[in-house]
Amino acid sequence: MKKNLLTIGLIASASLANAQNLNQPPVMGWSSWNTFDVHISEELINGQADAMVAQGLKDAGYNYINIDDGYFGLRDDEGNLMTHPFRFPNGLRGIVDHVHSLGLKAGIYSDAGSNTCGSGQGTDDKWGMGVGLFGHEKMDCEFFFNDLGFDFIKVDFCGGQALLDRAKTDLDERQRYTSISNSLKATGKEVSFNVCRWAYPGTWIHDVADSWRTTGDIWCDWTSVRDILAENLYLSAYSSYGHYNDMDMLEVGRNMSEIEDRTHFGMWCIMNSPLLIGCDMRTIPAPALELMKNKELIALNQDRLGEQAYVAAKIGDCFVLVRDIEQAQSGIRAVAIYNPSDDAAHVILPLETIDLAGKTAIRDLFDHKDLKAITNGNLVCDVPAHGTMIYRLEAEKRLERKVYEAETAFISDYQELENPYARFSGFYEYKPFASSGILAVNLGRTEENDLCWKRIYSKEGGEYTAIIYLSSKEDRNFTVEVNGKKAARLTGNSSAWDRIVPVETKVILKPGLNEIRLYNAGERMPNIDKLEIIKL
Ligand code: GAL
């Protein structure tokens, strides 16, 4: 069989950059999947690239054109990957060249197993068999990146999971994605690596990829956006500059309401998700185009500090999320007030809750409007059902943060692939009686199944009272460690699982950032609601 994908010479690359640590802001671009499924072609992809430029989206910062599933066309006798004979009869090189000629970057898609997702779904049953990276990793990586010049890859896991794989293969994701990461590095090219395992895979992923999907597939409906947000609100500790929780491609401009589109886009921005447009860029409704070109929200997503906004409070049904922007620990912060409920909400947010005080300038980032400065200490707003307000605040004073919710802390052994009870790993659970609605549970028994706040800030350092709010129906012990040193051994017992009690100890913090870790390497820990630190 003859190759129908032409490999035209090697693209010279002197770059020896580490392929998986590009240390870049979240990827911005477009992906074919949400609107076009497997029904893609050279003409369509090139047309989308042209539209990205024509619609002003390139100028707004979008620059990746990503081909998702649907381009595969089996392998030839030597194992070379071929493209679909009708959709991509000319191979992919012409597309990459066209995309590059527009000053954009090109992305491709594959699977960690042998068979791709397409091989399990109707129309593409035949074409996706045997085309995944498993067994062909080195040659495919050289092909995609050295021969064709792609700049991004999304790697799915349909072929790695017996449940979905036609050949019923069960592969180890850590081993597979680490190996793929090494093969990417071996190409010597700068490639942004996105892992698509439909759940947060485990903390090992931070050494392997630039971004990773944390949920199942998005679809164009409010409940999908709402549920994806609910699964990411507690993942802020697992994102840092260059390493992002990917909440999936955007459904903006398809058929949700304008309010829902705003929430979807705004929350993806403040929560540091990659921004991959999922609609047909040739025909974007005007409000959606304007929203996705919103410079101030994009600047928030791409902010150099790279923090994912964390949950600071819950007021009624609304979650308050906040992050530093522009300058760490300053009076400048971005805040979102997100209303997932079906009723409008009137919110009064004491600025103290988000560590600000004094006269505070407030700017609405959706509408590019400066509002009347806050002088009475309360941010007051009306949030429609399914709506979100996002503001840039600039306050006279930055206060030291006192409340550290458990859902903003890092569990060293956190993972969402295996049943956490069977594997005994901690997780975050929505509980109405918890202070911001979420508890950290199932902690302890191993050293790594801990709970760690890695960024506790003290301006001057010194002695603090640390109050740990916990629930446990029986006596459960844990150690408090501050900056790697044992500070106290405490026992928690609230006499009921749905009752929270405080337990306190003294700790010494150093000036700047500190780490407070709770653990019990041998036995179960109490459930943790939050930590409060009060300067003595
Ligand atoms: C899914 C993936 C989607 C899309 C699809 C293609 O597994 O989550 O984003 O890539 O496969 O078949």
Side-chain angles (χ1 to χ4, degrees):
M1 213 188 282
K2 266 259 162 264
K3 281 199 271 183
N4 68 357
L5 268 178
L6 294 178
T7 58
I8 309 176
L10 282 185
I11 292 173
S13 167
S15 160
L16 288 174
N18 179 341
Q20 289 72 52
N21 287 298
L22 294 187
N23 263 326
Q24 284 172 358
V27 159
M28 292 175 66
W30 172 86
S31 165
S32 54
W33 182 252
N34 285 3
T35 297
F36 300 102
D37 200 276
V38 296
H39 311 291
I40 51 178
S41 66
E42 172 171 349
E43 197 193 346
L44 181 113
I45 304 291
N46 282 341
Q48 292 295 322
D50 296 340
M52 180 177 272
V53 177
Q55 297 274 32
L57 288 159
K58 180 187 172 203
D59 288 343
Y62 295 87
N63 62 350
Y64 283 84
I65 293 288
N66 292 349
I67 302 173
D68 206 283
D69 208 348
Y71 72 87
F72 298 104
L74 303 175
R75 292 186 185 272
D76 70 9
D77 294 343
E78 282 118 54
N80 297 300
L81 201 56
M82 299 192 295
T83 49
H84 197 284
F86 314 126
R87 299 179 195 147
F88 294 90
N90 307 315
L92 300 172
R93 179 60 194 259
I95 300 179
V96 177
D97 286 348
H98 180 68
V99 168
H100 284 166
S101 76
L102 297 171
L104 303 172
K105 295 182 174 187
I108 194 69
Y109 167 90
S110 191
D111 198 281
S114 295
N115 302 325
T116 64
C117 295
S119 64
Q121 35 175 288
T123 45
D124 271 35
D125 271 5
K126 173 177 165 207
W127 302 111
M129 294 298 283
V131 297
L133 291 170
F134 193 51
H136 294 88
E137 199 175 283
K138 194 169 171 289
M139 73 189 289
D140 282 3
C141 284
E142 278 170 12
F143 177 59
F144 288 141
F145 308 109
N146 299 111
D147 297 354
L148 297 179
F150 279 104
D151 310 286
F152 169 101
I153 188 166
K154 163 177 169 181
V155 182
D156 223 324
F157 207 70
C158 288
Q161 218 187 17
L163 192 69
L164 298 171
D165 183 43
R166 288 262 203 106
K168 300 286 164 237
T169 323
D170 219 348
L171 300 172
D172 177 78
E173 32 283 286
R174 181 173 186 171
Q175 194 279 326
R176 284 302 299 131
Y177 284 117
T178 305
S179 164
I180 293 166
S181 168
N182 291 334
S183 299
L184 289 173
K185 279 181 200 155
T187 66
K189 295 276 319 239
E190 286 201 358
V191 179
S192 182
F193 181 25
N194 175 261
V195 162
C196 181
R197 184 54 187 87
W198 320 297
Y200 179 82
T203 52
W204 53 268
I205 198 70
H206 297 238
D207 298 327
V208 165
D210 299 283
S211 58
W212 42 83
R213 277 271 298 280
T214 52
T215 62
D217 288 12
I218 195 167
W219 72 93
C220 188
D221 184 75
W222 165 248
T223 56
S224 169
V225 167
R226 182 198 62 195
D227 294 351
I228 287 177
L229 282 169
E231 282 190 59
N232 279 273
L233 287 176
Y234 47 75
L235 290 181
S236 57
Y238 303 89
S239 169
S240 58
Y241 192 81
H243 294 91
Y244 306 104
N245 294 312
D246 173 5
M247 302 204 286
D248 209 353
M249 302 160 293
L250 298 169
E251 293 286 5
V252 176
R254 299 197 65 215
N255 77 54
M256 279 182 285
S257 74
E258 279 182 35
I259 287 176
E260 291 161 352
D261 267 0
R262 276 160 73 114
T263 288
H264 177 14
F265 188 70
M267 291 298 280
W268 262 234
C269 285
I270 200 166
M271 291 172 75
N272 260 359
S273 182
L275 300 177
L276 287 171
I277 298 171
C279 65
D280 182 343
M281 288 190 288
R282 296 166 302 190
T283 53
I284 311 180
L289 182 59
E290 197 187 322
L291 175 65
M292 290 192 290
K293 282 169 42 175
N294 181 318
K295 286 203 167 73
E296 296 182 75
L297 288 173
I298 289 173
L300 173 58
N301 177 261
Q302 303 280 299
D303 183 79
R304 67 185 185 92
L305 300 182
E307 287 187 16
Q308 176 173 325
Y310 62 83
V311 175
K314 189 162 182 238
I315 300 180
D317 286 330
C318 294
F319 288 93
V320 176
L321 285 91
V322 69
R323 66 186 265 190
D324 280 0
I325 47 169
E326 301 170 31
Q327 204 190 326
Q329 303 299 337
S330 74
I332 305 174
R333 307 200 87 186
V335 65
I337 299 145
Y338 160 55
N339 181 7
S341 83
D342 296 333
D343 300 308
H346 180 70
V347 174
I348 302 174
L349 167 67
L351 286 181
E352 207 189 343
T353 316
I354 49 172
D355 319 319
L356 299 178
K359 187 172 174 191
T360 301
I362 171 166
R363 184 166 173 82
D364 182 328
L365 298 187
F366 281 112
D367 294 336
H368 311 289
K369 257 202 281 184
D370 288 325
L371 308 181
K372 201 164 153 279
I374 301 169
T375 50
N376 67 354
N378 288 327
L379 191 168
V380 181
C381 62
D382 288 299
V383 195
H386 306 178
T388 300
M389 311 307 284
I390 298 186
Y391 302 111
R392 176 187 183 276
L393 301 173
E394 189 163 352
E396 249 164 19
K397 264 198 247 150
R398 173 67 184 260
L399 307 174
E400 262 184 35
R401 179 171 164 194
K402 286 204 187 94
V403 178
Y404 289 81
E405 292 290 347
E407 58 269 35
T408 67
F410 188 87
I411 299 171
S412 306
D413 204 16
Y414 186 59
Q415 58 84 35
E416 296 177 353
L417 295 182
E418 287 174 57
N419 179 328
Y421 292 109
R423 149 101 183 256
F424 218 94
S425 62
F427 63 99
Y428 308 87
E429 194 168 40
Y430 280 89
K431 288 286 181 194
F433 58 86
S435 66
S436 287
I438 304 174
L439 280 184
V441 304
N442 209 38
L443 300 165
R445 289 233 305 221
T446 62
E447 178 81 31
E448 297 75 33
N449 197 22
D450 57 3
L451 192 71
C452 184
W453 291 272
K454 289 174 179 271
R455 295 172 62 82
I456 304 238
Y457 184 76
S458 166
K459 193 157 182 230
E460 285 153 6
E463 210 180 347
Y464 285 75
T465 305
I467 311 172
I468 296 127
Y469 290 79
L470 52 81
S471 93
S472 177
K473 198 172 185 304
E474 60 199 18
D475 276 0
R476 288 195 178 177
N477 307 317
F478 59 99
T479 299
V480 182
E481 196 182 78
V482 180
N483 298 324
K485 285 207 197 94
K486 219 180 244 186
R489 181 84 175 159
L490 301 175
T491 303
N493 187 341
S494 63
S495 71
W497 289 111
D498 56 0
R499 214 173 135 240
I500 309 271
V501 293
V503 175
E504 64 175 69
T505 183
K506 298 263 177 299
V507 294
I508 310 277
L509 300 183
K510 59 178 193 220
L513 291 175
N514 295 267
E515 200 171 287
I516 297 188
R517 186 167 88 94
L518 315 181
Y519 71 95
N520 182 336
E523 295 166 330
R524 291 164 189 266
M525 283 170 58
N527 297 337
I528 308 292
D529 185 18
K530 65 178 176 182
L531 163 74
E532 238 175 65
I533 54 160
I534 296 164
K535 183 140 201 197
L536 288 172

